[in-house]
Amino acid sequence: QVQLVESGGGLVQTGDSLRLSCLASGRTFSTYAMGWFRQAPGKEREFVAAVNWIGTNTDYADSVKGRFAIFRQNARNTVYLQMNRLKPEDTAVYYCAANRATSSSTWRLNHSYDYWGQGTQVTVSS
């Protein structure tokens, strides 16, 4: 059992930065790959970024590559999403998720994740 709670969302302007946090419960957080997904109004949930359990490998959607960074601090049971140069099209509810699988081939797939947070709203105005 893993529980995830996102925080750090808010209302910002184009070009601003935000850092999202995801706090995990449980003793086994460090054994999971962690991902961030987002869902905009009227759209399907989409992959944003993922990081392996020791923080040495990452993957990003093309739409955020070079602007966003995912990293984790296992001692704090926390994974972060640093978002820079935000655009209106980044507006969405952002979810963190935990993935027991070790292969990066599973990171972009919704069904590969075992636990999900409740989401945090990010709104980027023009």
Side-chain angles (χ1 to χ4, degrees):
Q1 185 80 46
V2 175
Q3 293 180 324
L4 307 172
V5 180
E6 303 96 334
S7 63
L11 175 63
V12 298
Q13 295 182 239
T14 298
D16 284 352
S17 296
L18 278 176
R19 179 177 290 181
L20 305 183
S21 299
C22 176
L23 178 64
S25 66
R27 298 187 298 271
T28 60
F29 167 76
S30 63
T31 69
Y32 290 80
M34 297 294 297
W36 286 95
F37 290 75
R38 66 188 183 186
Q39 188 167 18
K43 299 182 68 176
E44 296 294 318
R45 187 171 298 182
E46 65 177 351
F47 170 79
V48 176
V51 61
N52 71 336
W53 70 288
I54 56 175
T56 55
N57 288 290
T58 58
D59 190 26
Y60 298 93
D62 289 343
S63 59
V64 306
K65 194 170 297 181
R67 297 190 298 121
F68 290 10
I70 185 171
F71 61 99
R72 64 196 299 166
Q73 294 182 340
N74 288 345
R76 294 180 177 269
N77 290 337
T78 303
V79 62
Y80 304 91
L81 183 68
Q82 178 67 44
M83 305 185 295
N84 299 318
R85 304 194 305 279
L86 283 160
K87 306 173 181 179
E89 50 262 46
D90 296 318
T91 295
V93 176
Y94 283 71
Y95 300 88
C96 68
N99 185 348
R100 294 181 179 180
T102 59
S103 173
S104 62
S105 65
T106 71
W107 289 357
R108 295 181 176 233
L109 307 175
N110 290 354
H111 68 261
S112 296
Y113 289 81
D114 301 282
Y115 304 100
W116 293 83
Q118 81 290 341
T120 185
Q121 176 71 46
V122 173
T123 303
V124 185
S125 67
S126 59

